[in-house]
Every structure is written in C-alpha cells, then in structure tokens.
Amino acid sequence: MKILRYILFPIMPFYYLATWLRNKLFDLGIKKSKSYSTPVICVGNLSVGGTGKTPMIEHLISMLKNEYKVATLSRGYKRKSKGFQLGDKKASAETIGDEPFQFYNKFKEDVLVAVDADRQNGIEQLMNLANAPEVILLDDAYQHRKVKAGFNILLTTYSDPYFKDFVLPTGNLREPRSGANRADIIVVTKCPDNLQETDKILFLKRIHADKNQYVFFSSIAYAETLLSEEKMMKVEDLTAFCLVTGIANSKPLTDFLESKNLEFEHLNFNDHHNFTPADIAELSKKELIVTTEKDFMRLRDYEVLKGKLFYLPIAIAIDREPEFRGAINAYLSA
C-alpha cells in the first residue's frame, strides 16, 4: 500500500490544487454555501476516517439532549437505502447505516436520527418536520461546503495529526491542511492517558491555531463491562476470545485489551465492512466474540451469534470539559 502511494505521488499536486481551488471558490462566495436558521454543528476531520467522530457525536448528544430537541444527520455510509431516511422502529444498519443506527439504538427516545447524502436536503427535511429539531449535528460533513454550518468541530488524532500528513493519494488528507482554519474547535483525539502538559504545549505549537480557535485534548474511556442484547460481562472476566473489528483504526482497542493481559485472536476487517455469509459462518464457530459497538450494530441480528457476541462501549473524556461546553453553549445562545 505504501509503495502504491509513493508511485501515485505525482498525482498529489493535482489533487491538492483541485481541493484548494474548490475551498477558495466557497471562501470567495463564487460557489454558494447555504446557511440555516436552525443551529448546525458540524463534526468532521481533514483525514480519511478513524478520528473518533462517532463518540464525539454521542458526547454532543449527551450534552445537549436535555436542553434542546436534537437531530443527527449523517450520510449513512454503505446503507442499502437511498435519499432521506429517518430512524424509526424498522431502522437497521442496512437502512440507515451502522453509525446512525448506533445513534438511534442508544438515543432513540431523545433525538431524531436522519441520513441523507444531500446534506442540504436532509437539513430542510428535518426543519419541515412537525417536531423539528432545535439543533442539528452534522456527522462527517467538514468537506460538505454547500452547507455553511454555524459551528465547526475538527477532529485530529494525537498519533497521526493533520499537520504531519499529506493530501491523497500519497497521504490521508481529504483537503489541504489550511482547511483547519474553518474550525471553531479543534479536538486532538485518542490521546494517551498519561499525556503531560509539556506534550500538549509542544503539540499546540505544531497546530498553529488561530487566536479565535479553541483546542482541546481528548482520550478514549473504555467501559469495564461488555454488553450484549441478553447479558453483561466484566472485562476482567474475559478468557480467550475472538476480537472482531471493522473500524478505521483498531489499535487503541487492542492496546487497551492487551493492557489487561488478555489473550485473543483478532479478525481485523476494513472500516464499515459488510460481513459476508462466509464471515458469519466463520464467526459462528467462535465461542466468544468481542467487537465494537459499531460492528455490533451489523452483527446483532445473526441468530448464530446470539449469546456469544458482546461489544465494549466507549466514551470520550475531554480536558477542560467546562470550557468545551461553554464554547458550544455560547454558539447556541448567540
């Protein structure tokens, strides 16, 4: 893969120019962005996947759901439906996508969960509902410049920050690093638990944030209890098991499990992997399966996996959490 990226290096300047020019046309107003009267908070990244957008959306839902009518709007990646779809009792990972289905499964009593590849249409559909939301959370929409979000949250991982990366196809950036200038908040995700203040200061110097931008550091907080639809199990009680992941970056999870001195086989699939009948047949032979919550959404309905399939919930812990909440609330109350 790395060799292929080096081979494709001559293409990188053209991709850089195309994405830079597109952004400049939006910045100058030549290409039009649409604003909305309903507050819109966009969560996204500059790189391709793996920065922690899903737990950030869930964190925001938990923050806001008691004070506002909240809706999430995602593309619904790899779903089998088309157009605007609203999560309901018939929803599944196939109809709205695995991550939106995770939002729905967890927060269906508190928020509206919608999907639409056309974000403008999705927002308008939500605003026209009888129970229209008061806040819309745009999931993975940082490059959707046709929508002018009122507030942008940009995520970048501590281990692979955007300032060390290059645009596609040589690197993983969807657009040039200068795209970070659009962010109101930059959150450095998946930080080590023992991150020191001196490390943060060095990192901040590399980010070169504008004086009007907030920068926060966050880490993954893994639960100590595994869940399934039928029962619970403590992480400390795990014996030999099969770990199944279909996410962009499984290393933080494997690091956590290894830190517990657990023995496991790891079946590592691509992000948003569609499990085939052959995959399910292979998994059915395992005595105990541990997976991520996102993957659980796609595996939960297979009868042959009932009773042996568990997921490990995660949350995010943000440093200076009151300041983070204050920045969000300042936008919403403006």
Side-chain angles (χ1 to χ4, degrees):
M1 184 64 176
K2 288 184 178 180
I3 294 175
L4 178 60
R5 291 198 169 196
Y6 283 125
I7 293 172
L8 295 174
F9 180 82
I11 300 175
M12 186 179 72
F14 297 99
Y15 184 90
Y16 181 101
L17 181 61
T19 53
W20 177 87
L21 181 60
R22 176 179 180 271
N23 278 327
K24 184 57 66 175
L25 292 175
F26 275 109
D27 293 340
L28 295 173
I30 297 172
K31 290 178 75 73
K32 300 300 182 183
S33 295
K34 188 170 183 180
S35 299
Y36 297 89
S37 56
T38 299
V40 176
I41 299 174
C42 170
V43 174
N45 51 21
L46 297 186
S47 62
V48 179
T51 57
K53 295 181 295 294
T54 300
M56 176 57 73
I57 291 288
E58 293 188 350
H59 190 77
L60 292 170
I61 292 172
S62 297
M63 276 178 51
L64 301 173
K65 65 184 178 64
N66 292 329
E67 296 183 40
Y68 301 92
K69 294 179 183 177
V70 178
T72 66
L73 178 60
S74 311
R75 173 186 172 187
Y77 186 62
K78 285 198 174 182
R79 63 189 169 110
K80 295 184 178 179
S81 61
K82 300 292 183 181
F84 178 81
Q85 299 286 331
L86 196 62
D88 57 23
K89 293 180 180 179
K90 297 179 180 179
S92 68
E94 290 190 347
T95 61
I96 62 175
D98 50 12
E99 289 159 343
F101 186 52
Q102 180 175 321
F103 301 150
Y104 178 78
N105 190 62
K106 189 176 293 185
F107 298 105
K108 55 180 172 288
E109 303 299 329
D110 302 303
V111 302
L112 296 168
V113 176
V115 295
D116 198 331
D118 182 341
R119 305 306 173 94
Q120 284 191 358
N121 181 67
I123 292 173
E124 289 160 9
Q125 293 276 1
L126 284 169
M127 292 175 66
N128 288 330
L129 292 174
N131 59 334
E134 298 170 315
V135 180
I136 298 173
L137 304 177
L138 284 187
D139 177 26
D140 195 13
Y142 200 77
Q143 284 73 40
H144 286 262
R145 298 295 305 275
K146 289 184 179 180
V147 170
K148 186 174 177 58
F151 200 85
N152 285 294
I153 300 175
L154 176 68
L155 310 182
T156 188
T157 62
Y158 183 80
S159 62
D160 191 17
Y162 64 80
F163 56 73
K164 287 185 178 180
D165 209 345
F166 301 94
V167 296
L168 294 163
T170 299
N172 289 313
L173 298 186
R174 301 172 177 179
E175 60 174 296
R177 302 171 190 175
S178 58
N181 296 335
R182 301 196 305 275
D184 297 285
I185 285 178
I186 299 172
V187 181
V188 184
T189 63
K190 303 183 180 181
C191 295
D193 291 335
N194 59 350
L195 187 64
Q196 303 297 310
E197 287 300 320
T198 52
D199 297 322
K200 293 179 182 179
I201 292 170
L202 291 173
F203 206 94
L204 289 170
K205 289 180 178 178
R206 299 292 301 276
I207 286 182
H208 297 299
D210 184 85
K211 63 180 181 180
N212 295 318
Q213 291 178 309
Y214 296 88
V215 181
F216 299 94
F217 293 83
S218 72
S219 58
I220 298 174
Y222 288 101
E224 293 295 331
T225 302
L226 297 151
L227 301 178
S228 74
E229 292 188 320
E230 302 89 6
K231 50 190 174 182
M232 300 185 297
M233 177 187 296
K234 291 184 178 180
V235 172
E236 62 186 33
D237 293 334
L238 280 172
T239 54
F241 61 93
C242 178
L243 174 66
V244 177
T245 58
I247 56 178
N249 180 12
S250 60
K251 190 174 186 304
L253 175 55
T254 57
D255 286 348
F256 169 77
L257 295 173
E258 287 170 357
S259 74
K260 299 290 186 179
N261 297 315
L262 298 172
E263 294 184 8
F264 56 92
E265 171 192 9
H266 185 193
L267 298 182
N268 190 21
F269 297 94
N270 291 330
D271 195 17
H272 296 280
H273 176 72
N274 283 324
F275 292 96
T276 65
D279 294 331
I280 301 304
E282 181 64 26
L283 292 178
S284 69
K285 300 174 185 177
K286 310 299 181 182
E287 292 186 11
L288 179 61
I289 301 169
V290 174
T291 190
T292 68
E293 190 169 2
K294 182 171 79 170
D295 294 310
F296 184 83
M297 293 300 115
R298 283 175 283 134
L299 293 169
R300 58 185 284 187
D301 292 330
Y302 290 99
E303 196 64 33
V304 292
L305 303 183
K306 298 290 186 182
K308 64 173 67 179
L309 181 68
F310 292 80
Y311 70 89
L312 183 61
I314 65 170
I316 57 172
I318 301 177
D319 72 331
R320 304 177 0 254
E321 175 76 23
E323 191 175 343
F324 177 83
R325 290 172 178 262
I328 301 293
N329 288 329
Y331 160 63
L332 295 175
S333 61

mmCIF file of all heavy atoms in Angstrom, residues 38-41 57 60-61 64-65 68-74 84 86 103 110-114 122-123 125-127 129 131-139:
data_model
loop_
_atom_site.group_PDB
_atom_site.id
_atom_site.type_symbol
_atom_site.label_atom_id
_atom_site.label_comp_id
_atom_site.label_asym_id
_atom_site.label_seq_id
_atom_site.Cartn_x
_atom_site.Cartn_y
_atom_site.Cartn_z
ATOM 1 N N THR A 38 -31.850 27.253 11.900
ATOM 2 C CA THR A 38 -31.616 26.266 12.951
ATOM 3 C C THR A 38 -30.112 26.105 13.161
ATOM 4 O O THR A 38 -29.364 25.962 12.187
ATOM 5 C CB THR A 38 -32.226 24.904 12.555
ATOM 6 O OG1 THR A 38 -33.630 25.048 12.386
ATOM 7 C CG2 THR A 38 -31.947 23.853 13.622
ATOM 8 N N PRO A 39 -29.636 26.143 14.395
ATOM 9 C CA PRO A 39 -28.204 25.955 14.640
ATOM 10 C C PRO A 39 -27.714 24.607 14.101
ATOM 11 O O PRO A 39 -28.339 23.569 14.329
ATOM 12 C CB PRO A 39 -28.087 26.008 16.164
ATOM 13 C CG PRO A 39 -29.278 26.801 16.599
ATOM 14 C CD PRO A 39 -30.372 26.437 15.644
ATOM 15 N N VAL A 40 -26.596 24.657 13.379
ATOM 16 C CA VAL A 40 -25.996 23.460 12.784
ATOM 17 C C VAL A 40 -24.558 23.337 13.276
ATOM 18 O O VAL A 40 -23.749 24.241 13.072
ATOM 19 C CB VAL A 40 -26.026 23.517 11.241
ATOM 20 C CG1 VAL A 40 -25.297 22.313 10.648
ATOM 21 C CG2 VAL A 40 -27.463 23.575 10.731
ATOM 22 N N ILE A 41 -24.253 22.218 13.932
ATOM 23 C CA ILE A 41 -22.900 21.942 14.420
ATOM 24 C C ILE A 41 -22.323 20.812 13.584
ATOM 25 O O ILE A 41 -22.891 19.716 13.536
ATOM 26 C CB ILE A 41 -22.903 21.551 15.909
ATOM 27 C CG1 ILE A 41 -23.458 22.698 16.763
ATOM 28 C CG2 ILE A 41 -21.492 21.173 16.373
ATOM 29 C CD1 ILE A 41 -23.634 22.337 18.228
ATOM 30 N N ILE A 57 -19.988 12.737 18.353
ATOM 31 C CA ILE A 57 -21.416 12.999 18.154
ATOM 32 C C ILE A 57 -22.211 12.538 19.367
ATOM 33 O O ILE A 57 -23.105 13.247 19.863
ATOM 34 C CB ILE A 57 -21.930 12.290 16.876
ATOM 35 C CG1 ILE A 57 -21.352 12.942 15.606
ATOM 36 C CG2 ILE A 57 -23.460 12.318 16.834
ATOM 37 C CD1 ILE A 57 -21.921 14.298 15.267
ATOM 38 N N LEU A 60 -21.812 14.969 22.201
ATOM 39 C CA LEU A 60 -22.624 16.170 21.992
ATOM 40 C C LEU A 60 -24.102 15.898 22.264
ATOM 41 O O LEU A 60 -24.807 16.729 22.840
ATOM 42 C CB LEU A 60 -22.427 16.697 20.566
ATOM 43 C CG LEU A 60 -21.051 17.275 20.251
ATOM 44 C CD1 LEU A 60 -20.908 17.530 18.754
ATOM 45 C CD2 LEU A 60 -20.809 18.569 21.018
ATOM 46 N N ILE A 61 -24.582 14.727 21.834
ATOM 47 C CA ILE A 61 -25.968 14.355 22.115
ATOM 48 C C ILE A 61 -26.215 14.353 23.617
ATOM 49 O O ILE A 61 -27.196 14.929 24.110
ATOM 50 C CB ILE A 61 -26.304 12.977 21.515
ATOM 51 C CG1 ILE A 61 -26.311 13.038 19.986
ATOM 52 C CG2 ILE A 61 -27.672 12.491 22.017
ATOM 53 C CD1 ILE A 61 -26.455 11.673 19.323
ATOM 54 N N LEU A 64 -26.451 17.876 25.012
ATOM 55 C CA LEU A 64 -27.493 18.800 24.564
ATOM 56 C C LEU A 64 -28.916 18.279 24.689
ATOM 57 O O LEU A 64 -29.867 19.064 24.694
ATOM 58 C CB LEU A 64 -27.234 19.176 23.097
ATOM 59 C CG LEU A 64 -25.884 19.835 22.789
ATOM 60 C CD1 LEU A 64 -25.698 19.988 21.278
ATOM 61 C CD2 LEU A 64 -25.774 21.187 23.479
ATOM 62 N N LYS A 65 -29.097 16.961 24.785
ATOM 63 C CA LYS A 65 -30.429 16.382 24.645
ATOM 64 C C LYS A 65 -31.419 16.802 25.728
ATOM 65 O O LYS A 65 -32.636 16.749 25.510
ATOM 66 C CB LYS A 65 -30.342 14.856 24.591
ATOM 67 C CG LYS A 65 -29.826 14.197 25.867
ATOM 68 C CD LYS A 65 -29.674 12.687 25.670
ATOM 69 C CE LYS A 65 -29.113 11.994 26.892
ATOM 70 N NZ LYS A 65 -29.980 12.059 28.071
ATOM 71 N N TYR A 68 -32.271 20.763 24.464
ATOM 72 C CA TYR A 68 -32.686 21.067 23.091
ATOM 73 C C TYR A 68 -33.271 19.818 22.435
ATOM 74 O O TYR A 68 -32.940 18.698 22.808
ATOM 75 C CB TYR A 68 -31.497 21.541 22.246
ATOM 76 C CG TYR A 68 -30.802 22.777 22.751
ATOM 77 C CD1 TYR A 68 -29.703 22.674 23.606
ATOM 78 C CD2 TYR A 68 -31.222 24.048 22.369
ATOM 79 C CE1 TYR A 68 -29.045 23.808 24.066
ATOM 80 C CE2 TYR A 68 -30.577 25.182 22.821
ATOM 81 C CZ TYR A 68 -29.492 25.058 23.674
ATOM 82 O OH TYR A 68 -28.846 26.189 24.130
ATOM 83 N N LYS A 69 -34.122 20.055 21.432
ATOM 84 C CA LYS A 69 -34.522 18.975 20.532
ATOM 85 C C LYS A 69 -33.374 18.789 19.536
ATOM 86 O O LYS A 69 -33.097 19.690 18.743
ATOM 87 C CB LYS A 69 -35.807 19.338 19.789
ATOM 88 C CG LYS A 69 -37.037 19.453 20.668
ATOM 89 C CD LYS A 69 -38.244 19.840 19.825
ATOM 90 C CE LYS A 69 -39.473 20.040 20.686
ATOM 91 N NZ LYS A 69 -40.639 20.497 19.862
ATOM 92 N N VAL A 70 -32.731 17.645 19.596
ATOM 93 C CA VAL A 70 -31.519 17.410 18.816
ATOM 94 C C VAL A 70 -31.783 16.426 17.684
ATOM 95 O O VAL A 70 -32.535 15.455 17.853
ATOM 96 C CB VAL A 70 -30.384 16.873 19.723
ATOM 97 C CG1 VAL A 70 -29.132 16.568 18.906
ATOM 98 C CG2 VAL A 70 -30.069 17.872 20.828
ATOM 99 N N ALA A 71 -31.161 16.657 16.537
ATOM 100 C CA ALA A 71 -31.179 15.705 15.434
ATOM 101 C C ALA A 71 -29.753 15.476 14.962
ATOM 102 O O ALA A 71 -28.916 16.386 15.011
ATOM 103 C CB ALA A 71 -32.024 16.217 14.273
ATOM 104 N N THR A 72 -29.462 14.254 14.533
ATOM 105 C CA THR A 72 -28.195 13.971 13.869
ATOM 106 C C THR A 72 -28.489 13.741 12.390
ATOM 107 O O THR A 72 -29.522 13.173 12.034
ATOM 108 C CB THR A 72 -27.505 12.722 14.443
ATOM 109 O OG1 THR A 72 -28.286 11.552 14.160
ATOM 110 C CG2 THR A 72 -27.320 12.857 15.952
ATOM 111 N N LEU A 73 -27.576 14.192 11.552
ATOM 112 C CA LEU A 73 -27.712 13.978 10.112
ATOM 113 C C LEU A 73 -26.396 13.433 9.582
ATOM 114 O O LEU A 73 -25.363 14.097 9.669
ATOM 115 C CB LEU A 73 -28.075 15.280 9.392
ATOM 116 C CG LEU A 73 -28.196 15.192 7.863
ATOM 117 C CD1 LEU A 73 -29.279 14.197 7.460
ATOM 118 C CD2 LEU A 73 -28.489 16.570 7.269
ATOM 119 N N SER A 74 -26.453 12.218 9.063
ATOM 120 C CA SER A 74 -25.284 11.538 8.522
ATOM 121 C C SER A 74 -25.533 11.180 7.061
ATOM 122 O O SER A 74 -26.665 11.220 6.578
ATOM 123 C CB SER A 74 -24.981 10.251 9.305
ATOM 124 O OG SER A 74 -24.962 10.463 10.694
ATOM 125 N N PHE A 84 -33.403 10.629 1.701
ATOM 126 C CA PHE A 84 -33.610 10.972 3.103
ATOM 127 C C PHE A 84 -34.302 9.829 3.817
ATOM 128 O O PHE A 84 -35.319 9.316 3.368
ATOM 129 C CB PHE A 84 -34.449 12.245 3.214
ATOM 130 C CG PHE A 84 -34.753 12.660 4.628
ATOM 131 C CD1 PHE A 84 -33.814 13.363 5.368
ATOM 132 C CD2 PHE A 84 -35.971 12.353 5.220
ATOM 133 C CE1 PHE A 84 -34.083 13.748 6.681
ATOM 134 C CE2 PHE A 84 -36.264 12.739 6.521
ATOM 135 C CZ PHE A 84 -35.300 13.438 7.256
ATOM 136 N N LEU A 86 -35.373 8.604 7.940
ATOM 137 C CA LEU A 86 -35.446 8.949 9.350
ATOM 138 C C LEU A 86 -35.496 7.663 10.162
ATOM 139 O O LEU A 86 -36.275 6.748 9.850
ATOM 140 C CB LEU A 86 -36.689 9.796 9.614
ATOM 141 C CG LEU A 86 -36.773 10.573 10.936
ATOM 142 C CD1 LEU A 86 -35.648 11.595 11.035
ATOM 143 C CD2 LEU A 86 -38.123 11.278 11.036
ATOM 144 N N PHE A 103 -26.524 5.488 16.843
ATOM 145 C CA PHE A 103 -27.119 6.664 17.490
ATOM 146 C C PHE A 103 -28.581 6.378 17.839
ATOM 147 O O PHE A 103 -29.044 6.676 18.940
ATOM 148 C CB PHE A 103 -27.079 7.892 16.573
ATOM 149 C CG PHE A 103 -25.699 8.310 16.139
ATOM 150 C CD1 PHE A 103 -25.516 8.939 14.909
ATOM 151 C CD2 PHE A 103 -24.589 8.096 16.939
ATOM 152 C CE1 PHE A 103 -24.258 9.340 14.500
ATOM 153 C CE2 PHE A 103 -23.328 8.497 16.530
ATOM 154 C CZ PHE A 103 -23.153 9.114 15.304
ATOM 155 N N ASP A 110 -34.519 10.285 22.694
ATOM 156 C CA ASP A 110 -34.079 11.660 22.936
ATOM 157 C C ASP A 110 -33.819 12.486 21.679
ATOM 158 O O ASP A 110 -33.910 13.708 21.730
ATOM 159 C CB ASP A 110 -32.780 11.647 23.768
ATOM 160 C CG ASP A 110 -32.948 10.933 25.098
ATOM 161 O OD1 ASP A 110 -33.830 11.334 25.865
ATOM 162 O OD2 ASP A 110 -32.201 9.974 25.352
ATOM 163 N N VAL A 111 -33.456 11.834 20.567
ATOM 164 C CA VAL A 111 -33.056 12.591 19.378
ATOM 165 C C VAL A 111 -33.673 12.002 18.120
ATOM 166 O O VAL A 111 -34.108 10.848 18.095
ATOM 167 C CB VAL A 111 -31.519 12.619 19.208
ATOM 168 C CG1 VAL A 111 -30.838 13.220 20.428
ATOM 169 C CG2 VAL A 111 -30.967 11.223 18.922
ATOM 170 N N LEU A 112 -33.671 12.829 17.069
ATOM 171 C CA LEU A 112 -34.014 12.361 15.730
ATOM 172 C C LEU A 112 -32.727 11.935 15.038
ATOM 173 O O LEU A 112 -31.713 12.635 15.126
ATOM 174 C CB LEU A 112 -34.684 13.478 14.926
ATOM 175 C CG LEU A 112 -36.025 13.994 15.432
ATOM 176 C CD1 LEU A 112 -36.403 15.284 14.704
ATOM 177 C CD2 LEU A 112 -37.111 12.941 15.227
ATOM 178 N N VAL A 113 -32.756 10.808 14.362
ATOM 179 C CA VAL A 113 -31.584 10.325 13.637
ATOM 180 C C VAL A 113 -31.954 10.233 12.157
ATOM 181 O O VAL A 113 -32.860 9.477 11.782
ATOM 182 C CB VAL A 113 -31.122 8.954 14.159
ATOM 183 C CG1 VAL A 113 -29.957 8.423 13.322
ATOM 184 C CG2 VAL A 113 -30.720 9.052 15.628
ATOM 185 N N ALA A 114 -31.278 11.013 11.335
ATOM 186 C CA ALA A 114 -31.593 11.067 9.913
ATOM 187 C C ALA A 114 -30.347 10.825 9.084
ATOM 188 O O ALA A 114 -29.224 11.059 9.531
ATOM 189 C CB ALA A 114 -32.199 12.421 9.555
ATOM 190 N N GLY A 122 -31.314 17.051 3.483
ATOM 191 C CA GLY A 122 -31.523 16.446 4.788
ATOM 192 C C GLY A 122 -31.890 17.467 5.843
ATOM 193 O O GLY A 122 -32.800 17.254 6.655
ATOM 194 N N ILE A 123 -31.193 18.603 5.848
ATOM 195 C CA ILE A 123 -31.493 19.663 6.813
ATOM 196 C C ILE A 123 -32.893 20.220 6.584
ATOM 197 O O ILE A 123 -33.670 20.421 7.530
ATOM 198 C CB ILE A 123 -30.439 20.786 6.729
ATOM 199 C CG1 ILE A 123 -29.085 20.274 7.239
ATOM 200 C CG2 ILE A 123 -30.882 22.009 7.529
ATOM 201 C CD1 ILE A 123 -27.939 21.247 7.031
ATOM 202 N N GLN A 125 -35.450 18.748 5.166
ATOM 203 C CA GLN A 125 -36.444 17.747 5.562
ATOM 204 C C GLN A 125 -36.645 17.748 7.076
ATOM 205 O O GLN A 125 -37.774 17.669 7.572
ATOM 206 C CB GLN A 125 -35.988 16.352 5.102
ATOM 207 C CG GLN A 125 -35.962 16.164 3.597
ATOM 208 C CD GLN A 125 -37.326 15.787 3.036
ATOM 209 O OE1 GLN A 125 -38.307 15.675 3.769
ATOM 210 N NE2 GLN A 125 -37.398 15.599 1.740
ATOM 211 N N LEU A 126 -35.548 17.860 7.820
ATOM 212 C CA LEU A 126 -35.648 17.894 9.283
ATOM 213 C C LEU A 126 -36.371 19.147 9.751
ATOM 214 O O LEU A 126 -37.210 19.093 10.660
ATOM 215 C CB LEU A 126 -34.250 17.837 9.899
ATOM 216 C CG LEU A 126 -33.559 16.474 9.897
ATOM 217 C CD1 LEU A 126 -32.090 16.613 10.286
ATOM 218 C CD2 LEU A 126 -34.259 15.506 10.861
ATOM 219 N N MET A 127 -36.063 20.286 9.131
ATOM 220 C CA MET A 127 -36.686 21.542 9.540
ATOM 221 C C MET A 127 -38.174 21.579 9.229
ATOM 222 O O MET A 127 -38.929 22.331 9.856
ATOM 223 C CB MET A 127 -35.964 22.711 8.875
ATOM 224 C CG MET A 127 -34.544 22.927 9.379
ATOM 225 S SD MET A 127 -33.646 24.233 8.489
ATOM 226 C CE MET A 127 -34.607 25.686 8.978
ATOM 227 N N LEU A 129 -40.198 18.988 9.580
ATOM 228 C CA LEU A 129 -40.926 18.033 10.414
ATOM 229 C C LEU A 129 -41.797 18.764 11.438
ATOM 230 O O LEU A 129 -41.470 19.864 11.871
ATOM 231 C CB LEU A 129 -39.945 17.118 11.156
ATOM 232 C CG LEU A 129 -39.130 16.137 10.320
ATOM 233 C CD1 LEU A 129 -38.114 15.427 11.197
ATOM 234 C CD2 LEU A 129 -40.036 15.123 9.616
ATOM 235 N N ASN A 131 -42.127 17.948 14.480
ATOM 236 C CA ASN A 131 -41.292 18.031 15.690
ATOM 237 C C ASN A 131 -39.862 18.412 15.310
ATOM 238 O O ASN A 131 -38.898 17.728 15.676
ATOM 239 C CB ASN A 131 -41.315 16.711 16.453
ATOM 240 C CG ASN A 131 -40.806 15.539 15.613
ATOM 241 O OD1 ASN A 131 -40.875 15.571 14.379
ATOM 242 N ND2 ASN A 131 -40.309 14.504 16.270
ATOM 243 N N ALA A 132 -39.748 19.497 14.561
ATOM 244 C CA ALA A 132 -38.455 19.926 14.021
ATOM 245 C C ALA A 132 -37.419 20.127 15.125
ATOM 246 O O ALA A 132 -37.745 20.599 16.219
ATOM 247 C CB ALA A 132 -38.625 21.223 13.238
ATOM 248 N N PRO A 133 -36.174 19.759 14.862
ATOM 249 C CA PRO A 133 -35.126 19.902 15.882
ATOM 250 C C PRO A 133 -34.738 21.355 16.100
ATOM 251 O O PRO A 133 -34.922 22.216 15.222
ATOM 252 C CB PRO A 133 -33.959 19.111 15.290
ATOM 253 C CG PRO A 133 -34.164 19.188 13.815
ATOM 254 C CD PRO A 133 -35.653 19.152 13.619
ATOM 255 N N GLU A 134 -34.166 21.607 17.259
ATOM 256 C CA GLU A 134 -33.645 22.940 17.589
ATOM 257 C C GLU A 134 -32.138 23.021 17.345
ATOM 258 O O GLU A 134 -31.589 24.120 17.256
ATOM 259 C CB GLU A 134 -33.951 23.266 19.048
ATOM 260 C CG GLU A 134 -35.431 23.323 19.350
ATOM 261 C CD GLU A 134 -35.716 23.409 20.839
ATOM 262 O OE1 GLU A 134 -35.096 22.657 21.616
ATOM 263 O OE2 GLU A 134 -36.582 24.235 21.223
ATOM 264 N N VAL A 135 -31.491 21.865 17.256
ATOM 265 C CA VAL A 135 -30.064 21.774 16.955
ATOM 266 C C VAL A 135 -29.847 20.574 16.049
ATOM 267 O O VAL A 135 -30.397 19.500 16.304
ATOM 268 C CB VAL A 135 -29.199 21.592 18.227
ATOM 269 C CG1 VAL A 135 -27.712 21.504 17.849
ATOM 270 C CG2 VAL A 135 -29.429 22.709 19.221
ATOM 271 N N ILE A 136 -29.044 20.755 14.988
ATOM 272 C CA ILE A 136 -28.721 19.657 14.084
ATOM 273 C C ILE A 136 -27.222 19.391 14.150
ATOM 274 O O ILE A 136 -26.406 20.304 13.983
ATOM 275 C CB ILE A 136 -29.138 19.978 12.630
ATOM 276 C CG1 ILE A 136 -30.651 20.170 12.546
ATOM 277 C CG2 ILE A 136 -28.687 18.857 11.682
ATOM 278 C CD1 ILE A 136 -31.143 20.645 11.186
ATOM 279 N N LEU A 137 -26.867 18.124 14.405
ATOM 280 C CA LEU A 137 -25.473 17.702 14.441
ATOM 281 C C LEU A 137 -25.141 17.027 13.117
ATOM 282 O O LEU A 137 -25.709 15.974 12.787
ATOM 283 C CB LEU A 137 -25.223 16.732 15.600
ATOM 284 C CG LEU A 137 -25.601 17.229 17.001
ATOM 285 C CD1 LEU A 137 -25.359 16.129 18.029
ATOM 286 C CD2 LEU A 137 -24.818 18.483 17.364
ATOM 287 N N LEU A 138 -24.254 17.631 12.360
ATOM 288 C CA LEU A 138 -23.834 17.062 11.075
ATOM 289 C C LEU A 138 -22.649 16.137 11.305
ATOM 290 O O LEU A 138 -21.591 16.575 11.761
ATOM 291 C CB LEU A 138 -23.422 18.168 10.098
ATOM 292 C CG LEU A 138 -24.499 18.995 9.407
ATOM 293 C CD1 LEU A 138 -23.862 19.893 8.358
ATOM 294 C CD2 LEU A 138 -25.540 18.105 8.768
ATOM 295 N N ASP A 139 -22.824 14.888 10.969
ATOM 296 C CA ASP A 139 -21.793 13.875 11.175
ATOM 297 C C ASP A 139 -20.938 13.738 9.917
ATOM 298 O O ASP A 139 -21.461 13.505 8.827
ATOM 299 C CB ASP A 139 -22.477 12.544 11.506
ATOM 300 C CG ASP A 139 -21.499 11.399 11.670
ATOM 301 O OD1 ASP A 139 -20.337 11.646 12.023
ATOM 302 O OD2 ASP A 139 -21.912 10.243 11.442
#
